[in-house]
mmCIF file of all heavy atoms in Angstrom:
data_model
loop_
_atom_site.group_PDB
_atom_site.id
_atom_site.type_symbol
_atom_site.label_atom_id
_atom_site.label_comp_id
_atom_site.label_asym_id
_atom_site.label_seq_id
_atom_site.Cartn_x
_atom_site.Cartn_y
_atom_site.Cartn_z
ATOM 1 N N GLU N 67 179.059 57.959 75.253
ATOM 2 C CA GLU N 67 180.043 59.042 75.189
ATOM 3 C C GLU N 67 179.622 60.191 76.101
ATOM 4 O O GLU N 67 180.446 60.800 76.774
ATOM 5 C CB GLU N 67 180.184 59.525 73.744
ATOM 6 C CG GLU N 67 181.281 60.529 73.535
ATOM 7 C CD GLU N 67 182.670 59.958 73.765
ATOM 8 O OE1 GLU N 67 182.863 58.742 73.619
ATOM 9 O OE2 GLU N 67 183.566 60.747 74.104
ATOM 10 N N HIS N 68 178.335 60.472 76.160
ATOM 11 C CA HIS N 68 177.820 61.534 77.019
ATOM 12 C C HIS N 68 178.135 61.225 78.489
ATOM 13 O O HIS N 68 178.568 62.110 79.235
ATOM 14 C CB HIS N 68 176.310 61.700 76.822
ATOM 15 C CG HIS N 68 175.694 62.680 77.767
ATOM 16 N ND1 HIS N 68 175.885 64.040 77.642
ATOM 17 C CD2 HIS N 68 174.921 62.496 78.860
ATOM 18 C CE1 HIS N 68 175.247 64.654 78.618
ATOM 19 N NE2 HIS N 68 174.641 63.726 79.367
ATOM 20 N N GLN N 69 177.937 59.979 78.907
ATOM 21 C CA GLN N 69 178.226 59.612 80.293
ATOM 22 C C GLN N 69 179.702 59.755 80.620
ATOM 23 O O GLN N 69 180.077 60.229 81.683
ATOM 24 C CB GLN N 69 177.776 58.170 80.566
ATOM 25 C CG GLN N 69 176.275 57.994 80.595
ATOM 26 C CD GLN N 69 175.867 56.536 80.579
ATOM 27 O OE1 GLN N 69 176.462 55.720 79.886
ATOM 28 N NE2 GLN N 69 174.835 56.219 81.343
ATOM 29 N N ARG N 70 180.574 59.386 79.687
ATOM 30 C CA ARG N 70 182.021 59.514 79.900
ATOM 31 C C ARG N 70 182.421 60.983 80.016
ATOM 32 O O ARG N 70 183.218 61.363 80.871
ATOM 33 C CB ARG N 70 182.789 58.834 78.779
ATOM 34 C CG ARG N 70 182.817 57.310 78.921
ATOM 35 C CD ARG N 70 183.729 56.725 77.882
ATOM 36 N NE ARG N 70 183.061 56.744 76.593
ATOM 37 C CZ ARG N 70 182.779 55.672 75.879
ATOM 38 N NH1 ARG N 70 183.115 54.489 76.305
ATOM 39 N NH2 ARG N 70 182.174 55.783 74.725
ATOM 40 N N MET N 71 181.864 61.845 79.157
ATOM 41 C CA MET N 71 182.166 63.269 79.224
ATOM 42 C C MET N 71 181.672 63.861 80.544
ATOM 43 O O MET N 71 182.363 64.677 81.157
ATOM 44 C CB MET N 71 181.551 64.002 78.031
ATOM 45 C CG MET N 71 182.220 63.705 76.711
ATOM 46 S SD MET N 71 183.955 64.164 76.709
ATOM 47 C CE MET N 71 183.835 65.928 76.711
ATOM 48 N N HIS N 72 180.492 63.447 80.970
ATOM 49 C CA HIS N 72 179.940 63.937 82.231
ATOM 50 C C HIS N 72 180.861 63.577 83.392
ATOM 51 O O HIS N 72 181.130 64.404 84.255
ATOM 52 C CB HIS N 72 178.533 63.359 82.438
ATOM 53 C CG HIS N 72 177.889 63.836 83.703
ATOM 54 N ND1 HIS N 72 177.419 65.112 83.843
ATOM 55 C CD2 HIS N 72 177.667 63.197 84.882
ATOM 56 C CE1 HIS N 72 176.921 65.259 85.082
ATOM 57 N NE2 HIS N 72 177.063 64.109 85.699
ATOM 58 N N GLN N 73 181.376 62.367 83.415
ATOM 59 C CA GLN N 73 182.275 61.934 84.479
ATOM 60 C C GLN N 73 183.585 62.718 84.448
ATOM 61 O O GLN N 73 184.135 63.055 85.491
ATOM 62 C CB GLN N 73 182.553 60.442 84.371
ATOM 63 C CG GLN N 73 181.375 59.583 84.751
ATOM 64 C CD GLN N 73 181.647 58.102 84.523
ATOM 65 O OE1 GLN N 73 182.665 57.727 83.972
ATOM 66 N NE2 GLN N 73 180.717 57.275 84.939
ATOM 67 N N LEU N 74 184.098 63.012 83.259
ATOM 68 C CA LEU N 74 185.329 63.769 83.155
ATOM 69 C C LEU N 74 185.182 65.190 83.666
ATOM 70 O O LEU N 74 186.118 65.775 84.216
ATOM 71 C CB LEU N 74 185.801 63.817 81.695
ATOM 72 C CG LEU N 74 186.389 62.533 81.141
ATOM 73 C CD1 LEU N 74 186.630 62.670 79.647
ATOM 74 C CD2 LEU N 74 187.673 62.162 81.855
ATOM 75 N N LEU N 75 183.996 65.760 83.498
ATOM 76 C CA LEU N 75 183.773 67.141 83.888
ATOM 77 C C LEU N 75 183.432 67.313 85.360
ATOM 78 O O LEU N 75 183.383 68.434 85.850
ATOM 79 C CB LEU N 75 182.658 67.751 83.015
ATOM 80 C CG LEU N 75 183.008 67.853 81.531
ATOM 81 C CD1 LEU N 75 181.800 68.318 80.737
ATOM 82 C CD2 LEU N 75 184.194 68.792 81.320
ATOM 83 N N GLN N 76 183.203 66.221 86.062
ATOM 84 C CA GLN N 76 182.868 66.328 87.491
ATOM 85 C C GLN N 76 184.094 66.509 88.337
ATOM 86 O O GLN N 76 185.152 66.148 88.083
ATOM 87 C CB GLN N 76 182.115 65.094 87.956
ATOM 88 C CG GLN N 76 180.717 65.052 87.441
ATOM 89 C CD GLN N 76 179.946 63.862 87.994
ATOM 90 O OE1 GLN N 76 180.507 62.915 88.512
ATOM 91 N NE2 GLN N 76 178.641 63.913 87.858
#
Side-chain angles (χ1 to χ4, degrees):
E67 187 66 26
H68 174 73
Q69 290 168 321
R70 283 187 284 241
M71 289 300 289
H72 181 73
Q73 288 175 353
L74 286 172
L75 295 174
Q76 287 184 343

